[in-house]
Amino acid sequence: IRCGANDITAQSRSVSEIVAAAYALFGARRAQGRQLVICGEPARWGVAAGTAMTAEQLATLKAINAAYRDYADAHYSDTRYVDLWAISADPAYSDGRPVAGLLSDHVHDAIGGVVAFGSAIVAAVRSLGIRTEHAPDVRESLFAVSAMDGTAGTAGAGTTGVVPTGWTVRR
């Protein structure tokens, strides 16, 4: 689960509101018997690539990540936390900017981000006991075979990009 990204830049809700909404989502999924992999927010740019986040946005991102980690730690029997921040933050800077090549714009994953984040997510899924014969190559399964291409379906308010052909998208 990755959630809360838009609230960081928009600053339209308080950290406590963001965390309460996320905790409600996490709890509802766990109540259905789901195992969760909660992903912290990665490093990112502010309103545009090359523009650093404000101090308030960076503080919000770090507070959200701390709350998500706390939730996963409190429910470790069926929940894992993936620290995307640790994977993505450029250690040469303190303003929250990402390492080059991870993002396609100011906030969305590029193929480099998908591969780096996907590897950590797969490890978390496996730590919950979920196994497959082989881990899919994220680049192959999503991009090289055009699984993410398409204009089918109807993209409703609050979505970005196109809807992949043959997929049903729910919010």
Side-chain angles (χ1 to χ4, degrees):
I1 298 176
R2 288 179 72 179
C3 61
N6 293 336
D7 292 320
I8 293 167
T9 303
Q11 295 286 296
S12 58
R13 296 195 295 169
S14 69
V15 170
S16 60
E17 291 172 314
I18 296 166
V19 170
Y23 278 22
L25 170 67
F26 303 158
R29 300 306 291 166
R30 288 182 59 251
Q32 293 178 343
R34 306 285 193 222
Q35 294 175 302
L36 304 182
V37 174
I38 300 170
C39 298
E41 283 299 309
R44 59 184 286 169
W45 296 104
V47 295
T51 303
M53 287 184 284
T54 66
E56 185 178 11
Q57 291 167 337
L58 184 57
T60 298
L61 184 151
K62 288 182 176 184
I64 288 171
N65 283 350
Y68 291 1
R69 179 188 303 273
D70 289 348
Y71 186 95
D73 288 348
H75 302 283
Y76 191 76
S77 64
D78 60 7
T79 305
R80 298 294 185 272
Y81 176 78
V82 177
D83 190 351
L84 297 185
W85 173 265
I87 297 168
S88 62
D90 189 329
Y93 299 91
S94 62
D95 60 7
R97 70 181 62 192
V99 172
L102 295 182
L103 300 180
S104 62
D105 57 17
H106 68 290
V107 67
H108 298 102
D109 304 345
I111 291 175
V114 170
V115 171
F117 301 158
S119 296
I121 293 166
V122 166
V125 167
R126 287 187 173 154
S127 79
L128 286 167
I130 301 168
R131 301 277 188 259
T132 61
E133 288 184 22
H134 61 83
D137 181 331
V138 174
R139 292 166 296 186
E140 175 66 23
S141 65
L142 295 180
F143 295 100
V145 295
S146 301
M148 295 299 287
D149 292 341
T151 56
T154 302
T159 64
T160 58
V162 298
V163 179
T165 304
W167 285 25
T168 300
V169 178
R170 293 186 177 94
R171 228 184 111 108

